[in-house]
Amino acid sequence: MGRIVLDKVSKKFGDVEVIPPLDLTIEDGEFAVFVGPSGCGKSTLLRMIAGLEDLTSGDIEIDGENVTQVPPSKRGLAMVFQSYALYPHMSVRKNIAFPLRMEGMPQAEIDKKVEAAAESLNLNDYLERKPAALSGGQRQRVAIGRAIVRNPSGFLFDEPLSNLDAALRVGMRLEISEMHERMQTTMIYVTHDQVEAMTMADKIVVLRAGVIEQVGSPLDLYRAPRNKFVAGFIGSPKMNFIEGEEAAKHGAHTIGVRPEHIEVSASSGAWKGVVSVSEHLGSDSFFHVHDTGLAETITVRAGGEVGFRHGDTIHLTPRDDVIHKFDSSGLRFE
Amino acid sequence: MAIVAPPSRFSKYGRPVLAWAVGLLFFFPIFWMILTSFKSDADAVKPEYLFVFQPTLENYLNMTENYDYWRFAKNSVITAVSATIFTLFVGIPCAYAMAFNPSKATKDVLMWMLSTKMLPAAAVLYPMTFLTKSLGLFDTHFLVIMVLSLINLPIVVWMLFTYFKEIPKDIIEAGQMDGVNTWGEFKEILVPLAWGGIVSTALLCFIFCWNEAYWTVRLTTTEAATLSKLIEGNRAPEGLFFGRLSAVSAAAVGPIVVLGWFCQKQLVQGLTFGAVK
Ligand SMILES: Nc1ncnc2c1ncn2[C@@H]1O[C@H](COP(=O)(O)OP(=O)(O)OP(=O)(O)O)[C@@H](O)[C@H]1O
Ligand SMILES: [Mg+2]
């Protein structure tokens, strides 16, 4: 169980309204990801759900029960912090056992649960170590272990992978996704890495300055972003925005074309420009094209075998069926 | 690879010499005091007996037999220990509240507490004497304990606050998520993590209490008089009893020097604010 409903919740720090009143429902078993630029209030919102931050107004319900005034430990949620927040004076075993011991569970049962959690997270060899003697990835596993032993009705993650190196991040991302598949427990995951958001989420919540810009599945957001902000935020590399004459041809104030929706050619195409930077990743090539007369830079994604270099003239043709049209206020229309 | 400069002549020879010089300078009065304590009062003022003299235990024996050293020592222990416990008892929750639930006024409260140390004690001497006498508290253990506690409380709170501040907020919040209540947070997380800091604060507080002289001398006569009072009582203006005075002083500072010696690691660590890691 773990259906979380936010009803007109808002948050002020002093006079600064960080989160204006906001409604959001996260269904039981859903993997929801909060994304948005730095400082937009993702952590604040998560901490409000956790109970670590008071609400200025509004209510939070978990499984139909109003928990607005309920302290963090009584909400049945577990949290994994960016800094891991392990207890430095306790061994891994004691760290994982801590929430169970606080519940007053009999020692024999605690041992069994800790062993099981350690088993599933590959921590058996480290149980007697202190956190200081663990690598970042191992610490993160311990933090996750400490969260899962309690059998919470929901997990809250605040950028849990941002302190890990790229390879480890991909591995842990998969592990967390697998954990979600296996447990089918509600998870709320904060990140500003849009790849994490796209790959893990059932539902992405895009925030800007405390306001929800759009809620939807990753592909919904990719295919039908509600406005320019979401269009620019979801997808990597970023969508190209073109204004002026070219946009007017499509009857829009601004048009958006994703880099992967542009064909490249050496000889002919709708647009023409000069390659300023080419990035060859092997599987893909990215070209940053200047002097198109459309926008400062147009970014294009092509196959790894395409070999334009700096200074080459390049012809570009957008795929007509996936051009996004925006009105003057930035809203997308069909 | 880091390039390490070869140690300069100063850091190789100069620093140790300097350190020893400063150390000896500080130690000299204590050495002198101990030396004098083994001289008879008559010998103590004679320059020809500076280093060579007939050592005697007379001063020490005299002290325990005639001046009731043990009673003063007992009072010192009772008041310093009680005051330290009481100060921590009040100071820990106070520092805890300010470190983890700060408000806009927290900084000001801390400054205000410290500012009470800026008032010259002499300024309140008469009100204090008058008040304690009329309340019937003069020369009682209770009074000495309260006075020692209150004059040390600001520094104790300030130190503990600094240690508690070093504990990452995330860890406290993780505890809250994991279901600790206030007492559990205290016992399971805060105290273990700040243990080094708490111990050095307690030690320092104890030392300050033990050495306090201004109030203990003025607010006691016999019942609650501490070793400071004993020294004071042996101070003769004519300077005739240097041997006796030295013995009393040595016996008064002895316990605290020994304590400091055994806890020096803890003290240094605490005073350099590197205890919580
Ligand atoms: N305790 C606080 N007091 C005052 N302002 C705060 C406090 N905590 C957060 N803020 C402000 O609230 C806003 C949202 O902060 P929050 O930490 O939720 O951002 P975020 O989306 O998590 O950013 P990031 O991606 O950088 O972690 C920021 O502008 C921040 O400065
Ligand atoms: Mg954040």
Side-chain angles (χ1 to χ4, degrees):
Chain A
M1 288 299 281
R3 182 171 190 269
I4 299 171
V5 180
L6 310 187
D7 182 16
K8 297 194 186 56
V9 300
S10 75
K11 178 72 188 177
K12 280 187 186 172
F13 286 113
D15 291 337
V16 185
E17 188 163 62
V18 175
I19 298 183
L22 158 163
D23 293 316
L24 179 68
T25 303
I26 292 150
E27 298 297 340
D28 181 31
E30 205 165 41
F31 197 121
V33 173
F34 294 173
V35 285
S38 187
C40 69
K42 307 179 293 287
S43 300
T44 306
L45 194 58
L46 192 75
R47 292 164 51 80
M48 284 157 78
I49 297 171
L52 295 172
E53 208 81 70
D54 292 333
L55 310 194
T56 304
S57 67
D59 289 297
I60 296 181
E61 270 180 21
I62 299 177
D63 292 328
E65 192 197 333
N66 190 330
V67 295
T68 315
Q69 303 299 331
V70 175
S73 59
K74 300 274 175 344
R75 296 192 181 190
L77 303 173
M79 183 145 166
V80 177
F81 294 79
Q82 179 176 0
S83 62
Y84 319 130
L86 300 177
Y87 308 117
H89 56 296
M90 298 182 197
S91 65
V92 169
R93 179 190 297 280
K94 293 222 167 94
N95 261 282
I96 299 178
F98 190 74
L100 302 179
R101 190 155 62 83
M102 290 301 107
E103 256 172 41
M105 189 181 275
Q107 190 60 44
E109 210 173 321
I110 293 180
D111 288 342
K112 225 166 56 198
K113 293 209 168 200
V114 172
E115 298 286 344
E119 182 74 40
S120 74
L121 288 161
N122 276 323
L123 285 169
N124 298 56
D125 297 342
Y126 312 110
L127 277 176
E128 308 312 326
R129 287 202 201 168
K130 293 270 175 68
L134 298 177
S135 73
Q138 289 161 347
R139 285 180 208 183
Q140 194 53 278
R141 270 170 226 273
V142 178
I144 293 174
R146 188 176 62 182
I148 59 178
V149 277
R150 289 171 56 193
N151 245 330
S153 58
F155 289 93
L156 310 175
F157 296 90
D158 193 352
E159 307 203 26
L161 309 184
S162 57
N163 287 345
L164 303 181
D165 68 49
L168 208 50
R169 200 145 63 206
V170 174
M172 284 303 287
R173 194 171 85 201
L174 284 173
E175 269 186 59
I176 294 175
S177 291
E178 267 167 30
M179 198 172 106
H180 180 247
E181 293 302 331
R182 197 173 58 238
M183 301 171 74
Q184 292 298 323
T185 310
T186 311
M187 292 187 180
I188 305 179
Y189 189 102
V190 167
T191 180
H192 50 228
D193 179 343
Q194 62 100 25
V195 177
E196 276 175 24
M198 291 299 282
T199 52
M200 302 172 92
D202 294 322
K203 178 195 233 157
I204 296 181
V205 179
V206 183
L207 290 162
R208 172 167 61 165
V211 176
I212 296 181
E213 293 287 326
Q214 191 169 3
V215 180
S217 75
L219 289 181
D220 284 348
L221 265 56
Y222 178 82
R223 290 184 184 137
R226 207 171 64 81
N227 55 29
K228 268 174 76 178
F229 178 80
V230 177
F233 201 82
I234 300 292
S236 170
K238 219 170 140 252
M239 183 185 279
N240 298 294
F241 293 109
I242 298 162
E243 294 180 2
E245 215 177 304
E246 190 64 28
K249 271 195 230 162
H250 292 87
H253 178 269
T254 308
I255 55 167
V257 187
R258 295 198 183 277
E260 54 272 38
H261 295 154
I262 299 177
E263 307 282 344
V264 297
S265 156
S267 51
S268 65
W271 306 329
K272 193 176 127 192
V274 179
V275 175
S276 90
V277 178
S278 61
E279 299 170 306
H280 299 278
L281 306 184
S283 58
D284 298 288
S285 303
F286 298 138
F287 304 108
H288 302 274
V289 182
H290 284 186
D291 301 328
T292 52
L294 304 163
E296 180 83 16
T297 309
I298 299 279
T299 307
V300 191
R301 174 183 194 157
E305 69 291 347
V306 182
F308 290 98
R309 304 252 151 227
H310 171 77
D312 290 352
T313 301
I314 188 171
H315 295 266
L316 311 171
T317 312
R319 266 176 57 191
D320 266 333
D321 55 329
V322 281
I323 291 181
H324 302 267
K325 290 178 264 189
F326 302 96
D327 64 19
S328 56
S329 64
L331 282 180
R332 182 177 176 277
F333 65 93
E334 291 293 336
Chain B
M1 217 182 84
I3 298 166
V4 181
S8 69
R9 294 249 305 266
F10 172 73
S11 60
K12 201 164 170 210
Y13 304 107
R15 267 193 230 171
V17 170
L18 200 68
W20 274 100
V22 172
L24 286 177
L25 195 69
F26 276 100
F27 180 66
F28 184 76
I30 297 183
F31 167 73
W32 193 250
M33 177 178 81
I34 292 171
L35 202 66
T36 311
S37 72
F38 290 107
K39 298 178 189 174
S40 69
D41 283 330
D43 287 356
V45 288
K46 289 192 190 132
E48 59 270 33
Y49 293 121
L50 204 56
F51 289 109
V52 191
F53 56 91
Q54 189 69 47
T56 167
L57 280 176
E58 177 197 347
N59 291 319
Y60 286 97
L61 296 174
N62 201 359
M63 178 176 75
T64 45
E65 277 161 23
N66 299 348
Y67 302 112
D68 217 355
Y69 170 82
W70 295 112
R71 187 163 56 85
F72 290 98
K74 195 181 84 192
N75 281 341
S76 271
V77 171
I78 290 174
T79 54
V81 168
S82 313
T84 303
I85 292 173
F86 181 77
T87 309
L88 288 179
F89 190 75
V90 177
I92 290 179
C94 181
Y96 166 83
M98 289 199 285
F100 294 108
N101 296 302
S103 74
K104 283 201 193 99
T106 300
K107 276 251 134 56
D108 300 329
V109 170
L110 274 170
M111 259 335 276
W112 173 74
M113 291 181 81
L114 210 66
S115 74
T116 60
K117 299 294 295 175
M118 296 171 197
L119 179 75
V124 288
L125 176 59
Y126 283 102
M128 275 295 279
T129 318
F130 178 75
L131 254 174
T132 51
K133 283 197 169 146
S134 57
L135 289 174
L137 292 173
F138 192 80
D139 198 21
T140 59
H141 284 121
F142 176 78
L143 175 70
V144 176
I145 292 167
M146 278 303 130
V147 168
L148 291 179
S149 300
L150 292 177
I151 58 181
N152 282 309
L153 197 56
I155 289 166
V156 164
V157 170
W158 191 283
M159 280 182 74
L160 290 171
F161 175 79
T162 318
Y163 294 120
F164 289 170
K165 264 285 180 220
E166 277 189 45
I167 298 177
K169 201 163 172 241
D170 278 359
I171 292 182
I172 301 288
E173 288 179 344
Q176 287 170 3
M177 293 301 294
D178 284 345
V180 293
N181 50 24
T182 307
W183 172 240
E185 182 174 316
F186 215 69
K187 180 168 134 285
E188 303 280 349
I189 300 173
L190 201 75
V191 172
L193 285 183
W195 185 241
I198 293 174
V199 170
S200 40
T201 307
L203 274 171
L204 206 69
C205 180
F206 181 78
I207 292 172
F208 286 167
C209 290
W210 186 277
N211 291 343
E212 209 287 330
Y214 188 87
W215 293 111
T216 43
V217 164
R218 284 167 179 81
L219 297 179
T220 62
T221 47
T222 48
E223 280 310 303
T226 64
L227 286 170
S228 302
K229 183 81 181 176
L230 178 64
I231 299 176
E232 158 78 15
N234 277 280
R235 191 174 56 90
E238 314 81 38
L240 284 180
F241 310 113
F242 274 139
R244 200 171 81 194
L245 182 61
S246 297
V248 170
S249 302
V253 300
I256 211 75
V257 170
V258 171
L259 180 77
W261 181 266
F262 279 115
C263 306
Q264 50 178 309
K265 194 171 147 226
Q266 191 60 250
L267 270 173
V268 169
Q269 199 183 39
L271 290 173
T272 49
F273 293 104
V276 185
K277 270 285 126 66

